[in-house]
Amino acid sequence: MFQLVPEARKLFPMTFRNHFADDGLFHVSLEKAIQCPPAPVLEHFTRVLEAIGSAVAGLQNKERMVPQLLALGMKHATLGLEEKYFRVGNAALMLTLHEALGDRFTVVLEESWSLVYGFMSANMIAGFRDFRSKEAQVADFRAEIQRTMKKSEKTKSDPEKLRSLAEKISGQLKADKASTKGDADLPNLLTATPTPSLPEKVKETLLVEPLEEEGD
């Protein structure tokens, strides 16, 4: 895989990638690396082979194997992996088997291994995509929370604006009142003494008796 996509090395810990040169090959000869593999490399290779072996055995029990592969795909999604690496992994596996088995790596054997890897990668990609989808939903949710908090902060400043407006209106009312009559001259609709009503006799006189002509 490192020969096909050298940049894939950055996905592994430094203790792992330090054993490989820029061209993706071991710093030491392949024979020496096989005879005495570095501990981090051996550990990872062991996990890969165990996963492949489990997939081969799990072809007869997909109900048990599929959830494991989905979880494995989700785990790889947390490592900064890109989906294209799953396809590269298939090519790397085929090249490795061809190099190791030589003429014994027949077309039938290649098709069989392609079937196994296809089963593995399809379920891992499904888990990978599911994790990324949920990750995007979480990011959207966090963005929505931030927008809500910003709106809340703006809402908190509204009472300040209302108080400022109230003070401005109050000041304007006081200025208007000062520019007219004094407060004592202004009628108060709540406390003003009502105008006394005219006596009934006076009312009748005004309504019945005509006013005398001026000068009579």
Side-chain angles (χ1 to χ4, degrees):
M1 179 177 281
F2 291 168
Q3 288 179 270
L4 295 174
V5 281
E7 68 271 16
R9 286 179 302 160
K10 69 178 184 292
L11 301 172
F12 293 84
M14 191 65 70
T15 54
F16 184 95
R17 70 175 94 159
N18 281 343
H19 296 286
F20 297 87
D22 292 339
D23 57 5
L25 297 175
F26 281 107
H27 284 300
V28 298
S29 65
L30 181 61
E31 290 76 13
K32 187 174 181 180
I34 292 174
Q35 291 174 0
C36 186
V41 177
L42 179 61
E43 181 184 354
H44 183 74
F45 284 179
T46 301
R47 289 202 304 268
V48 172
L49 291 176
E50 286 177 350
I52 294 175
S54 298
V56 173
L59 289 174
Q60 306 302 323
N61 187 3
K62 295 181 179 179
E63 291 77 12
R64 175 177 173 273
M65 192 64 202
V66 168
Q68 295 179 4
L69 292 172
L70 291 173
L72 189 59
M74 290 182 180
K75 181 180 179 181
H76 278 73
T78 66
L79 304 176
L81 195 73
E82 295 181 34
E83 192 173 315
K84 68 177 182 179
Y85 290 123
F86 289 104
R87 295 188 294 273
V88 175
N90 180 59
L93 177 62
M94 295 303 113
L95 289 172
T96 301
L97 291 172
H98 186 276
E99 183 178 353
L101 298 176
D103 295 339
R104 291 176 296 167
F105 190 56
T106 62
V107 175
V108 175
L109 201 55
E110 182 176 0
E111 291 176 351
S112 299
W113 276 108
S114 294
L115 178 64
V116 171
Y117 186 86
F119 169 72
M120 290 181 60
S121 61
N123 286 283
M124 289 179 66
I125 289 173
F128 180 90
R129 290 176 176 174
D130 184 51
F131 183 89
R132 286 292 171 84
S133 174
K134 292 177 180 177
E135 194 175 40
Q137 292 176 10
V138 170
D140 291 342
F141 180 69
R142 288 176 176 171
E144 182 62 29
I145 289 177
Q146 291 178 350
R147 287 193 292 268
T148 302
M149 292 177 65
K150 288 181 179 179
K151 288 181 180 179
S152 177
E153 290 175 358
K154 290 181 179 179
T155 304
K156 288 180 182 178
S157 64
D158 286 345
E160 296 294 334
K161 294 180 181 179
L162 291 174
R163 278 193 290 271
S164 176
L165 181 60
E167 291 174 359
K168 184 177 180 180
I169 293 174
S170 176
Q172 186 64 44
L173 288 175
K174 289 180 180 178
D176 292 345
K177 187 179 292 186
S179 63
T180 57
K181 296 180 179 180
D183 290 346
D185 298 326
L186 294 176
N188 190 321
L189 297 180
L190 295 178
T191 60
T193 303
T195 304
S197 57
L198 294 173
E200 293 298 325
K201 284 285 185 181
V202 175
K203 285 183 181 179
E204 291 174 1
T205 303
L206 291 175
L207 292 174
V208 176
E209 297 181 10
L211 294 175
E212 295 181 358
E213 293 293 334
E214 188 174 349
D216 289 347

